[in-house]
């Protein structure tokens, strides 16, 4: 094993040989030894010192305290169980903030369209403009999170999207649709770096044995944000006007930064460079190998198909309940809570089930991922076909006795889709230790393009078909099935990059 400290030549050590290293302040670090090609380091008592820029570390460095902690975590050095849980909690919180800010428009667009006279096409354009910006920074954000400290990249993204969330009502009131589309696009650019950065942080910080459930918990933070937005937005709009939701929700990002920035400074201030010959520089990204990998395109197919369904529900579900069942915007928002609450539960269940199947030896990781994704794709398709059949049967907007059935079908559709957190949603980190953020950026960027097109196309189809939701649901169901077929055929969890 080769170890090199800043400003020093590398040296090779054998198993059981004592290792002495220094941090970037010149202080000698307490040490243990090399065991099975793993550097085991003992930080000073009460400190966690090896928080570093993640690209500078091999993935099998373990940090322990002098008290010999029961669990040694693979990945980002110097993190014990408590620190990993804090990190996952903070990432879940930013996932919540990300979703709250994004979902505000889904509810506010109803009173906004009434005030500004927008038809379905304009509403689709406003909603899709966010995803136009979002897709731009997904791949670029994955590269930044690989090349630089992903904690700092995430913080920069939060600042950008929070500022432009707050700016949204000013742009909408300027009587310039172009200005509003631009602001929403820039907000999307800020949010686009979030999940690629999160993938990199999790890959280097969370042990394999709990990664599925950690990612599922983080993804559920996004769903909880949607719930919070749908639950609180109607009351906020009723009391203070639609403009207020953007100011209130936009400020949450700055509150989150108060807890995150100390972690970022700690990561940059306590760096020990530990390198091996096998570590690939971030500038040598294997683009060709990534672009020609069937496993990568299996993830893309699943994420695009599920993303289309998620974008449809995220941007159009309140409008669906409002148009199809003639409920108010407040009622429509509240009806959306039931499916999203069920999705939070299902998402977390999928992570625990997946980790349980793998850790107990019931299934290998690849079969587990395929099972979880099969549930997440085929299940929603079945319920979407049923929703489409009811729409084709000629259900009128004033038929309230069918509303409960529609809510149940939508709930099943979205809840089963939550199993994708343990399917494709955790697959990026299986394929690569170094480039999981880039892989996520690639697949999420393409999914964002598809989602943006879908959101806009939904408005156009509804305009031209006299609000025939059956067409929308049939198309979404077919796409879900196609994504499932590709994923089950080509997905793999073997490390490739």
């Amino acid at each position: 094993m080769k170890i090199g400290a800043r400003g020093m030549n590398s040296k090779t050590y054998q198993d059981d040989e004592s290792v002495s290293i220094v941090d970037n302040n010149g202080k000698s670090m307490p040490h243990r030894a090399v065991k099975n090609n793993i550097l085991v380091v003992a930080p000073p008592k009460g400190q966690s010192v090896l928080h570093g820029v993640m690209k500078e570390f091999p993935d099998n460095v373990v940090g322990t305290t002098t008290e010999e902690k029961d669990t040694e975590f693979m990945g980002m050095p110097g993190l014990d169980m408590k620190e990993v849980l804090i990190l996952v909690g903070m990432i879940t919180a930013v996932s919540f903030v990300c979703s709250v800010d994004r979902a505000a428009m889904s509810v506010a667009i109803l009173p906004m369209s009434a005030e500004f006279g927008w038809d379905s096409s304009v509403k689709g354009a406003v909603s899709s403009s966010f995803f136009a910006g979002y897709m731009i920074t997904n791949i670029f954000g994955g590269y930044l999170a690989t090349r630089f400290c992903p904690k700092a990249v995430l913080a920069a993204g939060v600042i950008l999207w929070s500022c432009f969330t707050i700016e949204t009502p000013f742009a909408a009131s300027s009587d310039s649709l172009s200005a509003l589309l631009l602001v929403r696009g820039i907000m999307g650019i800020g949010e686009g770096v979030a999940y690629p950065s999160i993938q990199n942080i999790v890959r280097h910080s969370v042990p394999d044995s709990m990664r599925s459930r950690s990612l599922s918990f983080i993804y559920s933070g996004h769903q909880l944000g949607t719930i919070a937005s749908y639950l609180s937005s109607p009351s906020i709009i009723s009391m203070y006007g639609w403009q207020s939701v953007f100011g209130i929700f936009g400020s949450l990002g700055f509150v989150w930064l108060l807890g995150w920035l100390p972690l970022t400074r700690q990561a940059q201030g306590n760096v020990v460079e530990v390198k091996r010959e096998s570590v690939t520089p971030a500038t040598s990204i294997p683009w060709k190998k990534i672009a020609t990998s069937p496993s990568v395109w299996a993830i893309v197919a699943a994420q695009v198909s599920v993303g289309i369904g998620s974008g449809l529900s995220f941007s159009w579900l309140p409008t669906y309940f409002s148009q199809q069942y003639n409920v108010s915007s407040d009622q429509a928002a509240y009806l959306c809570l039931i499916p999203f609450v069920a999705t939070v539960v299902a998402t977390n269940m999928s992570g625990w089930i997946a980790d349980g199947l793998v850790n107990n030896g019931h299934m290998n990781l690849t079969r587990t991922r395929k099972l979880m994704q099969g549930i997440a794709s085929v299940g929603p398709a079945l319920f979407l076909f049923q929703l489409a059949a009811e729409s084709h049967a000629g259900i009128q907007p004033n038929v309230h006795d069918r509303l409960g059935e529609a809510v149940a079908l939508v709930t099943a559709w979205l809840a089963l889709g939550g199993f994708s957190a343990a399917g494709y949603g955790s697959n990026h980190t299986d394929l690569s230790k170094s480039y999981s953020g880039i892989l996520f950026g690639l697949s999420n960027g393409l999914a964002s393009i598809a989602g943006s097109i879908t959101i806009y196309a939904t408005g156009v189809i509804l305009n031209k078909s006299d609000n025939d939701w059956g067409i929308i649901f049939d198309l979404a169901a077919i796409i879900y099935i196609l994504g499932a077929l590709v994923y089950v055929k080509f997905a793999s969890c073997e490390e490739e990059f």
Side-chain angles (χ1 to χ4, degrees), residues 53-56 139-150 153 196-197 200 204 280-283 285 433-439:
V53 178
M54 284 175 284
K55 72 181 184 67
E56 296 183 316
I139 297 177
F140 187 55
Y143 171 76
L144 289 176
T146 301
R147 181 67 182 84
F148 304 104
C149 176
V153 174
S197 299
N200 264 22
H204 289 267
T280 304
T283 53
I285 299 168
K433 295 178 179 179
S434 301
Y435 305 117
S436 55
I438 289 176
L439 296 180

Side-chain angles (χ1 to χ4, degrees), residues 125-390:
V126 172
S127 296
S128 64
S129 61
F130 167 88
F131 290 95
Y134 186 72
M135 67 186 180
I136 292 173
T137 47
N138 263 269
I139 297 177
F140 187 55
Y143 171 76
L144 289 176
T146 301
R147 181 67 182 84
F148 304 104
C149 176
K151 289 184 178 181
V153 174
L154 178 58
V158 172
I159 292 171
L160 185 62
W161 91 57
S162 298
C163 288
F164 281 88
T165 299
I166 295 171
E167 178 64 22
T168 296
F170 299 101
S173 301
S174 67
D175 294 328
S176 171
L177 181 60
S178 297
L180 177 59
L181 298 180
L182 178 62
V183 165
R184 297 298 295 176
I186 296 175
M187 178 192 168
I189 288 174
E191 289 205 8
V193 303
Y195 281 99
S197 299
I198 287 170
Q199 286 282 330
N200 264 22
I201 295 170
V202 170
R203 182 63 184 88
H204 289 267
S205 306
V206 179
D208 294 350
S209 62
M210 59 183 293
R211 192 180 304 139
S212 291
R213 76 193 84 160
S214 296
L215 283 169
S216 295
F217 187 67
I218 290 166
Y219 294 145
S220 70
H222 191 91
Q223 296 150 2
L224 285 170
T226 303
I227 293 170
S229 187
Y230 282 149
L231 184 63
S232 60
S233 291
S235 299
I236 294 172
I237 291 172
S238 177
M239 290 187 292
Y240 306 111
W242 61 264
Q243 298 90 340
S244 59
V245 293
F246 298 102
I248 293 172
F249 293 163
S251 64
L252 295 178
F254 296 103
V255 175
W256 177 84
L257 284 167
L258 295 177
W260 185 253
L261 290 179
L263 295 179
T264 305
R265 287 194 294 269
Q266 185 182 34
Q268 294 172 329
N270 298 313
V271 177
V272 177
E273 293 184 81
V274 184
K275 299 183 179 180
R276 294 182 305 172
E277 289 179 339
S278 59
V279 177
T280 304
T283 53
S284 302
I285 299 168
W287 290 111
K288 183 177 180 180
K289 191 174 180 181
I290 290 173
T292 56
S293 169
S295 302
V296 171
W297 289 105
I299 293 175
V300 170
Q303 191 159 357
V304 166
S305 61
V306 173
I308 286 174
S310 298
L312 176 63
S313 65
F314 188 83
S315 296
W316 286 101
L317 201 52
T319 301
Y320 163 69
F321 285 129
S322 180
Q323 287 183 350
Q324 193 79 352
Y325 297 98
N326 198 29
V327 299
S328 67
S329 59
D330 288 4
Q331 289 175 307
Y334 290 133
L335 288 172
C336 294
L337 294 177
I338 300 172
F340 287 117
V341 169
T343 304
V344 170
V345 175
T347 297
N348 281 285
M349 281 179 53
S350 72
W352 283 92
I353 292 171
D355 280 342
L357 289 173
V358 174
N359 295 340
N360 294 323
H362 298 306
M363 273 189 178
N364 64 32
L365 191 56
T366 297
R367 289 185 177 181
T368 299
R369 294 277 184 255
K370 290 181 178 181
L371 174 63
M372 295 296 104
Q373 192 55 51
I375 294 171
S377 295
V378 177
L382 297 177
F383 290 102
L384 281 166
F385 278 133
Q386 183 60 35
L387 282 167
E390 294 202 358

